[in-house]
């Protein structure tokens, strides 16, 4: 039996007569009658009883209807979903950095206004999970991505700097426009980091391990706006990428730490099965080719969040 047989059967059940079903489906009543006979012959049962020119389902008819209606409805769902796919294509992007993602998408949409884009700002570990479960098409992440079934496209490298309140009262060691301290002196201060850049903490660990010095990260945040607020409130020293520091240097100053250099590598990642998808490939090629020029605009943009931090 075909889906068409079941669709006709369901419509006869819904309308109550073959003539009404024929009008609804724009086919002849004789064609309806033949389809019902085919179904009854196939299953070896009687599907309807006729009482006063109206059809009533038999017990066998009720059983078939309970299954047929589900198949018809599911087919309608498939048709609707595929129609949406034909008319609207959505590129699903995730990022550890809201600024990078938003700026890239904004510029890309100028060239592809017809494309629908969904965005999620999350930590590296969450983005890894979303990529693995095919809930994202492409992710902007920090650190390396060594899984063999993913393609990895370097985007940029951000310097990570130590910073504190511009007028800090934490210690005389931090006085001046550009204070410089040792790693041992750094370990005495409360340290705050951004968990979105999951390669930063291992690099910080290596700095202190090299000097065999104990330290303690007392706070972690999923974005840099939280770190900025911590520094503005003079609660400790923060590790912040240079782009965000430039946006908030009205309130913060850099703290030089002798013998340290920390950077975060940012890349685009997608599964190998998606890397040849035309829409995903187009976005990746645009991002890798144009990121440097887009990045230059970051420092000139006003960080509206800082107005809320004061």
């Amino acid at each position: 039996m075909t889906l068409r047989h079941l669709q006709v059967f369901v419509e006869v059940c819904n309308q109550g007569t073959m003539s009404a079903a024929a009008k609804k489906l724009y086919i002849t009543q004789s064609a309806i009658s033949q389809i019902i006979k085919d179904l009854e012959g196939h299953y070896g049962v009687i599907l309807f009883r006729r009482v006063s020119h109206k059809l009533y389902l038999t017990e066998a008819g009720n059983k078939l209807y309970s299954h047929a209606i589900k198949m018809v409805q599911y087919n309608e769902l498939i048709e609707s979903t595929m129609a949406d796919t034909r008319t609207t294509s959505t590129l699903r992007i995730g990022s550890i950095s809201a600024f990078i993602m938003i700026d890239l998408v904004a510029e890309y949409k100028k060239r592809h206004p017809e494309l629908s884009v969904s965005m999620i700002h999350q930590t590296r570990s969450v983005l890894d999970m979303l990529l693995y479960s095919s809930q994202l098409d492409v992710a902007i992440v920090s650190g390396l991505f060594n899984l063999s079934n993913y393609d990895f496209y370097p985007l940029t490298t951000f310097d990570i700097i130590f910073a504190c309140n511009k007028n800090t009262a934490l210690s005389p060691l931090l006085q001046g426009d550009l204070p410089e301290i040792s790693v041992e002196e750094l370990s005495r201060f409360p340290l705050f980091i951004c968990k979105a850049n999951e390669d930063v903490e291992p690099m910080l660990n290596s700095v202190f391990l090299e000097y065999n010095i104990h330290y303690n990260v007392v706070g972690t945040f999923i974005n840099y706006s939280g770190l900025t607020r911590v520094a503005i409130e003079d609660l400790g020293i923060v590790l912040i990428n240079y782009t965000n520091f430039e946006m908030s240097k009205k309130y913060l100053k850099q703290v030089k730490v002798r013998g340290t250099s920390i950077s975060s590598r940012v890349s685009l990642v997608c599964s190998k099965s998606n890397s040849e998808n035309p829409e995903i490939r187009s976005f990746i090629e645009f991002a890798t080719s144009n990121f440097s020029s887009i990045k230059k605009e970051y420092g000139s943009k006003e960080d509206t969040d800082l107005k809320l931090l004061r």
Side-chain angles (χ1 to χ4, degrees), residues 36-87:
I36 298 302
K37 286 181 180 178
D38 289 344
L39 281 169
E40 289 180 329
H42 179 77
Y43 293 112
V45 297
I46 301 299
L47 297 173
F48 295 100
R49 295 193 311 272
R50 184 182 294 274
V51 180
S52 299
H53 305 291
K54 192 169 179 66
L55 297 176
Y56 294 89
L57 286 168
T58 63
E59 182 179 353
N62 272 308
K63 286 183 178 180
L64 180 59
Y65 181 79
S66 66
H67 296 295
I69 187 64
K70 294 176 184 176
M71 294 187 67
V72 170
Q73 290 173 341
Y74 192 64
N75 177 70
E76 291 173 352
L77 176 62
I78 293 173
E79 293 294 326
S80 175
T81 301
M82 295 310 295
D84 288 343
T85 301
R86 290 193 298 270
T87 57

Side-chain angles (χ1 to χ4, degrees), residues 276-290:
E276 296 306 318
N277 178 295
E279 290 175 352
I280 297 174
R281 169 59 59 181
S282 174
F283 177 77
I284 291 173
E285 291 177 352
F286 168 83
T288 53
S289 300
N290 295 278

Side-chain angles (χ1 to χ4, degrees), residues 156-182:
T156 189
T157 299
F158 283 113
D159 290 331
I160 305 296
I161 67 173
F162 297 94
C164 68
N165 184 291
K166 204 163 199 175
N167 301 305
T168 182
L170 287 174
S171 168
L173 291 171
L174 301 179
Q175 298 308 304
D177 294 334
L178 186 60
E180 183 172 339
I181 60 177
S182 67

Side-chain angles (χ1 to χ4, degrees), residues 135-152:
Q135 296 180 64
L136 282 180
D137 297 314
V138 63
I140 301 167
V141 301
S142 63
L144 296 175
F145 209 99
N146 295 320
L147 298 179
S148 60
N149 53 336
Y150 290 87
D151 283 332
F152 177 83

Side-chain angles (χ1 to χ4, degrees), residues 10 19 30 66 75 99-100 116 122 131 152 161 169 176 182 190 197 228 288 298:
V10 166
S19 59
S30 60
S66 66
N75 177 70
F99 285 116
I100 292 176
S116 174
Q122 265 295 352
L131 276 172
F152 177 83
I161 67 173
S182 67
N197 296 82
T228 302
T288 53
Y298 289 173

Side-chain angles (χ1 to χ4, degrees), residues 15-260:
Q15 298 297 325
T17 67
M18 292 187 187
S19 59
K23 290 180 182 179
K24 183 77 172 179
L25 296 172
Y26 300 100
I27 59 178
T28 65
Q29 186 172 336
S30 60
I32 296 276
S33 179
Q34 184 59 54
I35 287 173
I36 298 302
K37 286 181 180 178
D38 289 344
L39 281 169
E40 289 180 329
H42 179 77
Y43 293 112
V45 297
I46 301 299
L47 297 173
F48 295 100
R49 295 193 311 272
R50 184 182 294 274
V51 180
S52 299
H53 305 291
K54 192 169 179 66
L55 297 176
Y56 294 89
L57 286 168
T58 63
E59 182 179 353
N62 272 308
K63 286 183 178 180
L64 180 59
Y65 181 79
S66 66
H67 296 295
I69 187 64
K70 294 176 184 176
M71 294 187 67
V72 170
Q73 290 173 341
Y74 192 64
N75 177 70
E76 291 173 352
L77 176 62
I78 293 173
E79 293 294 326
S80 175
T81 301
M82 295 310 295
D84 288 343
T85 301
R86 290 193 298 270
T87 57
T88 304
S89 180
T90 300
L91 181 64
R92 303 166 301 169
I93 302 172
S95 178
I96 60 165
S97 167
F99 285 116
I100 292 176
M101 176 171 61
I102 292 169
D103 280 38
L104 281 174
V105 169
E107 291 299 317
Y108 189 68
K109 286 277 286 180
K110 291 177 183 177
R111 305 188 186 191
H112 302 275
E114 78 290 349
L115 183 65
S116 174
V117 179
S118 68
M119 295 182 283
I120 182 171
H121 177 214
Q122 265 295 352
T123 62
R124 167 66 187 268
S125 57
V126 172
L127 294 177
D128 287 358
M129 181 272 293
L130 293 175
L131 276 172
Y132 180 77
S133 59
S134 300
Q135 296 180 64
L136 282 180
D137 297 314
V138 63
I140 301 167
V141 301
S142 63
L144 296 175
F145 209 99
N146 295 320
L147 298 179
S148 60
N149 53 336
Y150 290 87
D151 283 332
F152 177 83
Y153 304 90
L155 198 61
T156 189
T157 299
F158 283 113
D159 290 331
I160 305 296
I161 67 173
F162 297 94
C164 68
N165 184 291
K166 204 163 199 175
N167 301 305
T168 182
L170 287 174
S171 168
L173 291 171
L174 301 179
Q175 298 308 304
D177 294 334
L178 186 60
E180 183 172 339
I181 60 177
S182 67
V183 174
E184 190 278 329
E185 289 168 334
L186 175 65
S187 68
R188 304 174 196 172
F189 292 96
L191 297 178
F192 297 83
I193 65 172
C194 180
K195 290 294 285 185
N197 296 82
E198 295 193 3
D199 53 341
V200 170
E201 190 167 14
M203 286 187 282
L204 184 64
N205 286 335
S206 66
V207 168
F208 284 98
L209 282 173
E210 182 180 352
Y211 291 88
N212 196 27
I213 296 173
H214 174 76
Y215 78 104
N216 185 32
V217 171
V218 299
T220 60
F221 293 82
I222 64 170
N223 57 52
Y224 283 108
S225 61
L227 285 180
T228 302
R229 179 61 183 268
V230 163
I232 289 174
E233 295 299 331
D234 205 18
L235 297 177
I237 292 179
V238 301
L239 273 77
I240 188 170
N241 72 48
Y242 192 76
T243 299
N244 288 84
F245 172 76
E246 283 291 301
M247 288 178 166
S248 52
K249 65 181 180 181
K250 178 179 178 181
Y251 311 96
L252 309 183
K253 64 182 176 183
Q254 183 176 355
V255 177
K256 287 279 191 179
V257 180
R258 291 188 291 273
T260 67

